[in-house]
């Protein structure tokens, strides 16, 4: 038997019901699921605002909604505040729901945030039955343009430390105010890992 996790062929019989991979330890009788999906329903019920403020590094959760009136296989994705940010598409949910109902534990992590800059936001999500693979999955982030604004990101002293005020931080740049990620409202210290996204956004819009 070839392990679906590490693709190696050897296994160890633990008992009459269970085999595990002798290389990675995966229980071979368990379903092994790895899939990437773009969430549905992201333009309804205020989800655009929730996704707009979501960082690709924020934790998300996957949950069955067995009482959903529109889809008996409904599976939702939720942010850390337990707010629904979208749904697994029907065709994918039809496959995953029976597995979840049978006891398969699934994990979710944001892979890519889509849209913005005048377009509707979307979210591409990585779903797996492998908790380690989910934890180690690295989301896709936009490439930062190499120019003067990128230089400002690494040298915050070149502009003021005024706090976030406007709807989008790139609007602050002409007055040389401090770029702040939308999740950094308040007096948080400069954080290049977050603020560069605003510099990227400025470049995309000017």
């Amino acid at each position: 038997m070839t392990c679906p996790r590490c693709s190696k062929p050897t296994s160890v019989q633990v008992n009459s019901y269970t085999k595990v991979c002798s290389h990675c330890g995966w229980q071979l009788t368990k379903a092994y699921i790895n899939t990437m999906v773009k969430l549905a329903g992201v333009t309804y019920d205020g989800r655009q605002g929730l996704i707009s403020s979501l960082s690709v590094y924020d934790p998300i959760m996957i949950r069955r909604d067995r009482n959903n009136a529109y889809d008996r296989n409904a599976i939702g994705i939720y942010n850390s505040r337990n707010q629904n940010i979208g749904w697994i598409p029907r065709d994918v949910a039809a496959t995953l729901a029976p597995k979840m109902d049978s006891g398969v534990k699934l994990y979710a992590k944001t892979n890519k945030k889509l849209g913005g800059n005048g377009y509707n936001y979307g979210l591409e999500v990585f779903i797996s039955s492998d908790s380690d693979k989910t934890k180690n999955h690295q989301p896709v982030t936009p490439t930062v343009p190499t120019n003067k604004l990128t230089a400002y990101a690494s040298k915050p002293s070149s502009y003021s430390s005024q706090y976030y005020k406007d709807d989008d931080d790139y609007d602050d740049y002409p007055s040389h105010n401090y770029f702040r990620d939308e999740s950094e409202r308040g007096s948080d210290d400069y954080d290049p890992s977050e603020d560069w996204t605003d510099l990227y956004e400025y470049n995309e819009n000017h």
Side-chain angles (χ1 to χ4, degrees), residues 23-186:
H23 293 279
C24 69
W26 182 259
Q27 186 176 320
L28 298 173
T29 51
K30 289 173 59 178
Y32 192 71
I33 297 166
N34 285 304
T35 189
M36 205 79 72
V37 299
K38 291 181 182 178
L39 297 188
V42 295
T43 59
Y44 300 97
D45 301 325
R47 296 188 185 102
Q48 284 293 294
L50 298 177
I51 295 174
S52 171
S53 61
L54 184 78
S55 163
V56 293
Y57 298 102
D58 288 342
I60 58 175
M61 299 167 286
I62 183 170
R63 194 166 70 224
R64 273 283 278 129
D65 183 2
R66 295 177 180 83
N67 297 319
N68 190 289
Y70 303 100
D71 183 4
R72 62 188 178 87
N73 293 314
I75 302 172
I77 299 293
Y78 298 81
N79 64 16
S80 60
R81 296 188 296 277
N82 204 34
Q83 296 168 302
N84 181 282
I85 55 176
W87 300 95
I88 302 300
R90 280 176 179 265
D91 58 333
V92 181
T95 300
L96 296 182
K99 297 184 186 302
M100 294 181 75
D101 293 343
S102 69
V104 174
K105 175 73 173 174
L106 294 182
Y107 306 88
K109 194 170 186 179
T110 299
N111 181 62
K112 187 191 299 183
K113 189 165 154 180
L114 309 166
N117 298 320
Y119 296 93
N120 285 330
Y121 283 100
L123 211 61
E124 185 176 74
V125 174
F126 173 67
I127 297 170
S128 179
S129 57
D130 186 340
S131 60
D132 289 336
K133 194 174 185 70
T134 307
K135 181 175 66 175
N136 295 326
H137 180 77
Q138 293 300 310
V140 176
T141 53
T143 303
V144 186
T146 305
N147 57 21
K148 184 177 179 181
L149 287 176
T150 305
Y152 279 132
S154 61
K155 192 178 180 183
S157 60
S158 60
Y159 44 88
S160 76
S161 59
Q162 183 167 334
Y163 298 154
Y164 176 98
K165 284 187 175 181
D166 294 335
D167 292 336
D168 260 291
D169 289 338
Y170 68 77
D171 290 333
D172 288 336
Y173 177 71
S175 58
H176 302 287
N177 295 336
Y178 196 40
F179 281 91
R180 286 190 177 276
D181 187 85
E182 291 187 25
S183 64
E184 285 192 284
R185 300 183 188 197

